[in-house]
Amino acid sequence: MIGRLNHVAIAVPELGPATAKYRDALGAEVSAPQPLPEHGVTVVFVTLPNAKVELLEPLGEASPIADFVARNPKGAIHHLCYEVDDILAARDRLKAAGARVLGAGEPKTGAHGKPVLFLHPNDFSGALIELEQA
Ligand code: CO
């Protein structure tokens, strides 16, 4: 059911040093920081030939990644995003299999303007999973 790996998201306390490492040490193509207030993050997109890395910095006092960054002050992998062809069919299949969909269970518009859902990490080997409509 799942398709391509779309991105790996890494949450960091500050985008500047993390972006510099990807750009200067790793030689990657990086975007300018993009504030996404509706998601409570500022994101830098790192474009790789086969997937993306998203560097996330908390934005605002109610950022959903604030606690995670507080627990991981050096930064840490926050989630993986897999593409699916039909996000509602994927959700229904996962719920039938006993997986927990976070929030109200309805897709929201993600950082790329496409519908996304998140799955509880305890149901997937400790990894928070984002599904994005391809
Ligand atoms: Co994501």
Side-chain angles (χ1 to χ4, degrees), residues 31-91:
S31 76
Q34 299 181 23
L36 301 173
E38 68 277 22
H39 293 288
V41 296
T42 301
V43 59
V44 166
F45 298 103
V46 180
T47 304
L48 308 177
N50 60 342
K52 291 183 285 290
V53 173
E54 293 181 3
L55 303 174
L56 306 176
E57 178 187 277
L59 175 63
E61 293 185 359
S63 172
I65 65 167
D67 289 348
F68 183 87
V69 170
R71 288 195 306 273
N72 298 280
K74 293 177 181 172
I77 293 177
H78 184 261
H79 65 268
L80 308 175
C81 177
Y82 302 120
E83 296 179 2
V84 293
D85 287 332
D86 182 337
I87 198 162
L88 293 177
R91 175 199 61 188

Side-chain angles (χ1 to χ4, degrees), residues 22 68 95 126:
Y22 271 83
F68 183 87
K95 285 175 79 172

Side-chain angles (χ1 to χ4, degrees), residues 6-9 43 54 56 78-81 110-112 116 118 130-132:
N6 185 278
H7 61 268
V8 175
V43 59
E54 293 181 3
L56 306 176
H78 184 261
H79 65 268
L80 308 175
C81 177
H112 308 110
V116 302
F118 285 90
E130 178 180 18
L131 299 178
E132 181 177 291

